[in-house]
Amino acid sequence: MSPHRLRRFTGTPHFLREQRAARMEQLERCELCGTPVASRHGHVVDVQRRALMCSCRACFLLFTRHKDHRTRYRAVPERYLRDPEHPVTAAQWEVLDIPVGTAFLLRTSTGVTVFHPSPAGATERPLDTGVWNRLAVAHPLLTMAEPDVEAILFRRTEKGADCFLVPVDVCYRLVGTIRLYWTGLDGGEQLREHIEALFAEIRDKARP
């Protein structure tokens, strides 16, 4: 799926880059109707399988109109939000009991799940309801995320954690980036560069 396939063409002649990009674009198809799609396209969540699916614009718009949470297929929104007036404190971060520097929360019909990206993929565990409720009172942004299709993304800082509401496909992209570029014991410099670039993009897109 496209969010996982982060492409690098450094050192390749311009015309070869274009040819390769064109061939890769031809391989991308809407997983709902089979229509070819560009490398940058929308996504739809299959709620029953908890799977992210590439979609053409027509299918994306079709499921954008379906707001019923009981609908099997739901389009992933394109909004990015932050709440600078309610920063996540170091004490609140500790309560989440997240052993890594980056994690995300996803609400579903069965509750709230914490995901920890790792070189082997994303590990997950349910978040205690009491912890979620207390955190949601202090951070209204958490309750604004649409179940299944939007996530709350945290990144640890010296004072606590940065917090963003993002499309869930961004989290798939984060997990794929870590799996693709991790080297050695700490991930390596190349991975850190890609993570920094991703969060710079998120900060640029996120509005208060």
Side-chain angles (χ1 to χ4, degrees), residues 65-187:
R65 293 194 292 267
H66 291 178
K67 292 295 186 180
D68 191 336
H69 292 173
R70 293 170 296 180
T71 303
R72 175 173 178 176
Y73 300 107
R74 299 186 57 209
V76 177
E78 300 174 335
R79 66 175 179 167
Y80 294 73
L81 299 175
R82 59 185 175 85
D83 187 2
E85 295 184 2
H86 299 88
V88 176
T89 65
Q92 291 168 335
W93 174 258
E94 290 300 322
V95 169
L96 285 171
D97 192 27
I98 295 174
V100 293
T102 304
F104 57 95
L105 306 182
L106 181 67
R107 283 198 300 161
T108 67
S109 59
T110 58
V112 181
T113 303
V114 184
F115 292 84
H116 309 154
S118 75
T123 60
E124 60 181 274
R125 62 177 172 83
L127 182 66
D128 179 79
T129 302
V131 172
W132 165 261
N133 290 339
R134 290 191 295 273
L135 197 62
V137 169
H139 301 279
L141 183 67
L142 274 64
T143 62
M144 295 177 64
E146 291 190 32
D148 300 303
V149 294
E150 292 182 323
I152 300 298
L153 177 61
F154 295 97
R155 191 184 191 195
R156 186 170 55 196
T157 65
E158 292 182 357
K159 296 182 179 180
D162 290 332
C163 178
F164 304 93
L165 184 155
V166 299
V168 72
D169 53 11
V170 170
C171 298
Y172 279 74
R173 180 179 166 190
L174 171 65
V175 173
T177 298
I178 293 175
R179 292 190 65 182
L180 183 61
Y181 292 104
W182 186 285
T183 59
L185 297 177
D186 64 353

Side-chain angles (χ1 to χ4, degrees), residues 177-202:
T177 298
I178 293 175
R179 292 190 65 182
L180 183 61
Y181 292 104
W182 186 285
T183 59
L185 297 177
D186 64 353
E189 186 61 30
Q190 188 179 32
L191 173 62
R192 286 189 285 274
E193 291 176 357
H194 282 281
I195 296 297
E196 288 297 335
L198 176 58
F199 274 93
E201 178 183 331
I202 292 171

Side-chain angles (χ1 to χ4, degrees), residues 27-101:
L27 297 176
E28 300 280 6
R29 290 186 175 274
C30 175
E31 296 180 66
L32 292 159
C33 71
T35 300
V37 296
S39 57
R40 295 184 65 86
H41 51 263
H43 294 96
V44 170
V45 171
D46 181 340
V47 176
Q48 290 184 9
R49 296 192 299 119
R50 207 171 69 179
L52 191 68
M53 306 172 67
C54 299
S55 66
C56 65
R57 192 62 181 173
C59 288
F60 179 85
L61 293 176
L62 173 64
F63 293 108
T64 297
R65 293 194 292 267
H66 291 178
K67 292 295 186 180
D68 191 336
H69 292 173
R70 293 170 296 180
T71 303
R72 175 173 178 176
Y73 300 107
R74 299 186 57 209
V76 177
E78 300 174 335
R79 66 175 179 167
Y80 294 73
L81 299 175
R82 59 185 175 85
D83 187 2
E85 295 184 2
H86 299 88
V88 176
T89 65
Q92 291 168 335
W93 174 258
E94 290 300 322
V95 169
L96 285 171
D97 192 27
I98 295 174
V100 293

